[in-house]
Amino acid sequence: MGLRPDSGEGDAGARASASFSPLAIYLAVVSTAGLGSVIAALALSPWAALLTALPLASVAFLAVAAIAGEVKPILLVLAGSETRSLSTSAPFVLALIAVGGLGLAIVVQVVSSLADDIVNRREFKKSLFNTAQYALSVLAAGVVYGLLTGKATFGVPESVTPGHVGALLVAGVAMVIVNWFLVAAVVALASGQPLTLVLRTDARNSFLTHLVLLSVGGIAADVASDGVGVLALLAAPVVAAHLFATVVARHAYDAAHDSLTGLGNRGQLDSALTRALRASQHTTTQGPGLVLLDLDHFKDFNDTLGHPVGDTILRDVAERLRNAVPDGGSVHRLGGDEFAVVVNGGLADSRRVARDLLAALDAPIRIESLELLVRSSAGVAVAPMHGTDAETLMKNSDIALYHAKLERDRISTYSPEYDVNTVERLQLLADLRSALDSQQLRVVYQPQVDLNSRRTVAVEALVRWDHPTRGTIAPDDFIPLAENSGLIFPVTHFVLDAALAQLAKWREAGHQVRVAVNLSARHLSDVGLAQQIYEALARHQIPPSALVLEITETGILSDTVRADMVIRAVRGIGVEIAIDDYGTGNASLSYLKRLQIDELKVDRSFVSNIGSDHHDLIIVRSTIALALALDLRVVAEGIEDDATAEALAQLGGVIGQGYHLGSPASVDEISQRLDLERRTAPTARGAGR
């Protein structure tokens, strides 16, 4: 008959009715009043007299048209994520008030509403409210029509004359107004928006369509006595209004939604955020909140598995986010792998929603035979503390998201101090891009020493950045930037190529050492890694066993299925794999058994204290014994004194690394060291496994 709340507000109302919230009380009152009007219509209408006095064919036509118009409504897309369905039953129900009596009009409207609810499988509580508010709207129209024409409210209708059409149109306006108020109140209570704002929005989007439909209703009542054939002619303007509104709604929907995921787009986000901010001005609570999400390493999935798989991931993520958002919230895709969620609540609510959104991505996404773990970072900003307009909230939540990715926090709330850090780091990131092209990066090498023979058996390649104005920049300051921006790939390529080129020179000089190169977690998602390494080894004519790739526990555990696949491919060409910083992450004996690795690097946090902390000594001794029993090579990091080196040497064939044995040094310094070791012990051989 009119508007019904077909967006999340209606569902929210149905769920809220189980409690004693203002919305629940309102729904109960409307439902009770509507049920009373239906009972009154059934009890007070003179049904026997109606059956003999009415033009049954015309009444039947109007009833069928009303039911069809309710089941197939016009969809109105409003600003933001709200939708309203405007049925085309209104003119036919209005005509029935004059032609068939108010009681019959209410019964037909109830049947129409129930038919629509059954077709769309709406839950009982929502169906009850819809039916009740429609019955009250028709009752209001019948009362107004009776007052204006002097006819009995539930009596037998008299013939309709042209003079009655004006009164019927006024009754139709009353019917629409009551419907507007009843539905708008649900939306306002569920979303927190002011009632006047909701009423203005609904009126703006459906006024012209209602005007056309009510005019058709007045004409239908006037010509009903002329038979069904004349009534059928009125179908054309109704169908035209339906088609026109549907086309407009489709264009409006397409303009406001992402075509891939069906989520609202950036324009709709701005609209939803602006409306929420406007609504918050009428309350004393915080909010709204804005949560920005960015998928971690999505580019890796897209580049290695192809765009169709990437699109499937985005659709799955969108559906999970949509299901995780609470009532009143809205999800939007801003483009690429970035999403935004508007939260009707303060800081605590927004952070809780952010946690729920990230938790929704915990389960792997299954695509054919693949199981993909997709993770995300989130930035949170909340009005009014972090901004009072949509643009400021967007900027500050974006800064918070950048901080979350940079600091490896999964959720970060905006802080003013991030502004300065963000500008500095963005500048550093821009400088790093230039550094790759202007040869500001260099590689140094830290010796790895057989603790029994005290000979260098391997070196670890470490990158250094000599900034033209800032001097030497520590790896801890720029490596996280590289990892989060994707620059880690060209940085690692530079280190690998330089290390292999230098290793070729050392081997040509007779130094049979290995070289170790660090990989980030992002490399373990790159299924093309093995081919790239194979080409680099071939380019420098290095045997694969002379290269060791160091990976961290967290890198493995971020996506164990993909990491396992990449590691097996790399080992398949003969390159060796080392677990770096063993013991600092989620150390698991299961992956030592499952993954094919060659070397275990015991973290410096355990090694450096074995002389003073008995527990650390037990941990290191047990770890070394386990690794050697599994036929793994062991490298102990963080050796800062000779006593530690001697103690470790007693535990088996251990290789040591640390400043006591040698700090990171230039190519010339390492070359001199290797030459000296060969001269002092020409028959010494480096440790094997």
Side-chain angles (χ1 to χ4, degrees):
M1 182 272 291
L3 293 169
R4 67 164 74 226
D6 280 348
S7 62
E9 290 83 359
D11 295 327
R15 285 191 290 273
S17 62
S19 64
F20 292 99
S21 66
L23 177 57
I25 295 173
Y26 171 77
L27 293 173
V29 170
V30 172
S31 298
T32 302
L35 182 61
S37 68
V38 174
I39 294 174
L42 293 173
L44 299 176
S45 296
W47 297 107
L50 289 173
L51 290 175
T52 59
L54 298 182
L56 295 182
S58 295
V59 168
F61 177 88
L62 293 173
V64 171
I67 295 172
E70 192 71 39
V71 173
K72 190 65 175 177
I74 296 172
L75 180 66
L76 298 177
V77 180
L78 311 182
S81 59
E82 298 175 60
T83 60
R84 299 287 188 276
S85 58
L86 176 63
S87 73
T88 54
S89 65
F92 306 110
V93 172
L94 182 64
L96 278 173
I97 293 175
V99 176
L102 177 57
L104 182 60
I106 289 177
V107 169
V108 169
Q109 180 58 68
V110 168
V111 172
S112 301
S113 179
L114 291 175
D116 180 48
D117 291 334
I118 290 171
V119 169
N120 290 283
R121 299 181 179 179
R122 294 189 178 93
E123 58 183 287
F124 173 76
K125 293 177 182 178
K126 183 174 181 180
S127 176
L128 178 62
F129 172 78
N130 287 337
T131 302
Q133 60 99 357
Y134 281 159
L136 290 173
S137 301
V138 178
L139 176 63
V143 171
V144 169
Y145 182 68
L147 290 174
L148 293 177
T149 60
K151 297 182 179 182
T153 301
F154 286 102
V156 177
E158 301 174 6
S159 58
V160 179
T161 66
H164 294 141
V165 173
L168 193 59
L169 290 177
V170 174
V173 171
M175 180 172 68
V176 170
I177 290 175
V178 171
N179 174 239
W180 263 340
F181 269 95
L182 292 175
V183 173
V186 173
V187 177
L189 288 171
S191 66
Q193 300 179 56
L195 178 62
T196 53
L197 175 63
V198 178
L199 286 170
R200 285 200 305 270
T201 302
D202 284 347
R204 182 172 62 250
N205 286 278
S206 58
F207 176 75
L208 290 177
T209 305
H210 270 305
L211 186 63
V212 172
L213 294 177
L214 293 178
S215 300
V216 171
I219 298 172
D222 187 37
V223 303
S225 59
D226 295 328
V228 175
V230 178
L231 282 175
L233 296 176
L234 297 177
V238 174
V239 172
H242 191 292
L243 292 176
F244 175 76
T246 300
V247 170
V248 171
R250 171 49 57 185
H251 284 309
Y253 182 90
D254 290 343
H257 290 77
D258 171 53
S259 60
L260 177 66
T261 63
L263 298 179
N265 58 17
R266 187 178 292 272
Q268 194 194 65
L269 169 64
D270 184 69
S271 177
L273 199 52
T274 300
R275 282 199 329 277
L277 285 165
R278 191 181 300 127
S280 69
Q281 295 173 357
H282 300 270
T283 67
T284 58
T285 58
Q286 290 184 352
L290 179 62
V291 181
L292 284 189
L293 300 103
D294 184 90
L295 302 184
D296 298 335
H297 314 317
F298 175 74
K299 185 177 183 297
D300 298 338
F301 292 118
N302 223 25
D303 291 347
T304 57
L305 301 178
H307 291 287
V309 172
D311 290 348
T312 301
I313 292 173
L314 291 174
R315 283 191 291 266
D316 191 290
V317 168
E319 185 62 25
R320 294 188 188 194
L321 297 181
R322 186 187 289 115
N323 293 334
V325 170
D327 297 328
S330 57
V331 191
H332 310 262
R333 182 186 175 210
L334 306 186
D337 60 339
E338 192 173 12
F339 298 84
V341 174
V342 178
V343 180
N344 284 330
L347 180 58
D349 294 323
S350 299
R351 285 190 62 85
R352 184 179 64 253
V353 169
R355 289 193 297 270
D356 292 343
L357 293 170
L358 298 191
L361 303 179
D362 282 346
I365 295 176
R366 295 181 179 274
I367 301 178
E368 296 179 352
S369 61
L370 294 177
E371 270 194 1
L372 305 176
L373 285 176
V374 178
R375 295 287 183 261
S376 179
S377 302
V380 178
V382 179
M385 65 181 71
H386 302 145
T388 56
D389 58 82
E391 182 179 357
T392 303
L393 281 179
M394 277 291 296
K395 176 178 73 73
N396 289 340
S397 59
D398 196 36
I399 291 173
L401 174 61
Y402 177 83
H403 185 268
K405 296 184 77 68
L406 201 60
E407 301 299 329
R408 302 301 182 89
D409 298 326
R410 298 198 69 192
I411 300 173
S412 180
T413 301
Y414 172 76
S415 174
E417 68 186 50
Y418 294 166
D419 280 330
V420 176
N421 292 338
T422 298
V423 171
E424 290 180 354
R425 286 174 173 174
L426 286 175
Q427 182 59 56
L428 196 62
L429 184 61
D431 291 348
L432 180 57
R433 296 181 190 275
S434 300
L436 286 164
D437 299 324
S438 56
Q439 298 180 337
Q440 296 173 23
L441 300 182
R442 59 186 172 88
V443 177
V444 296
Y445 302 88
Q446 185 169 28
Q448 295 180 348
V449 178
D450 181 338
L451 293 180
N452 289 314
S453 68
R454 295 300 177 101
R455 303 297 178 189
T456 302
V457 294
V459 291
E460 180 178 359
L462 302 168
V463 65
R464 294 292 184 264
W465 181 8
D466 296 321
H467 195 281
T469 59
R470 301 188 185 190
T472 301
I473 297 178
D476 288 346
D477 290 333
F478 71 86
I479 291 299
L481 281 174
E483 289 181 342
N484 287 304
S485 66
L487 285 180
I488 193 63
F489 292 104
V491 169
T492 302
H493 180 271
F494 165 77
V495 174
L496 180 64
D497 193 67
L500 291 180
Q502 184 56 48
L503 183 60
K505 295 178 181 178
W506 283 328
R507 293 179 66 87
E508 185 178 354
H511 303 303
Q512 301 300 309
V513 293
R514 294 182 298 273
V515 66
V517 175
N518 290 282
L519 295 183
S520 76
R522 300 191 71 167
H523 288 96
L524 297 183
S525 296
D526 184 1
V527 294
L529 179 66
Q531 181 62 30
Q532 297 167 22
I533 292 174
Y534 175 81
E535 292 173 355
L537 290 169
R539 185 164 59 250
H540 297 288
Q541 298 182 337
I542 299 294
S545 60
L547 174 63
V548 180
L549 297 178
E550 297 186 0
I551 58 179
T552 62
E553 297 173 56
T554 53
I556 296 171
L557 296 176
S558 63
D559 187 344
T560 53
V561 175
R562 180 71 68 83
D564 194 7
M565 179 173 63
V566 172
I567 290 172
R568 289 179 184 276
V570 170
R571 288 195 85 251
I573 62 175
V575 173
E576 298 190 342
I577 299 293
I579 301 296
D580 197 11
D581 300 335
Y582 181 77
T584 59
N586 298 303
S588 172
L589 297 179
S590 63
Y591 73 65
L592 291 181
K593 175 183 177 181
R594 186 184 72 254
L595 296 176
Q596 298 182 20
I597 61 176
D598 303 274
E599 179 178 292
L600 206 61
K601 298 191 73 175
V602 185
D603 188 67
R604 69 184 67 248
S605 61
F606 299 105
V607 173
S608 60
N609 295 322
I610 63 172
S612 58
D613 191 320
H614 185 62
H615 291 92
D616 280 352
L617 175 60
I618 293 174
I619 291 172
V620 171
R621 184 170 58 203
S622 301
T623 301
I624 291 174
L626 172 65
L628 294 177
L630 292 173
D631 197 27
L632 300 179
R633 189 168 52 241
V634 180
V635 177
E637 298 182 285
I639 298 177
E640 307 298 337
D641 53 62
D642 198 60
T644 301
E646 289 292 342
L648 290 168
Q650 301 302 314
L651 299 179
V654 178
I655 297 170
Q657 183 175 347
Y659 279 84
H660 175 69
L661 302 172
S663 59
S666 66
V667 169
D668 290 341
E669 291 172 315
I670 296 296
S671 297
Q672 292 172 11
R673 178 188 181 113
L674 294 175
D675 290 339
L676 179 61
E677 289 180 359
R678 183 168 55 184
R679 287 197 302 270
T680 56
T683 59
R685 301 173 65 118
R689 295 192 59 83

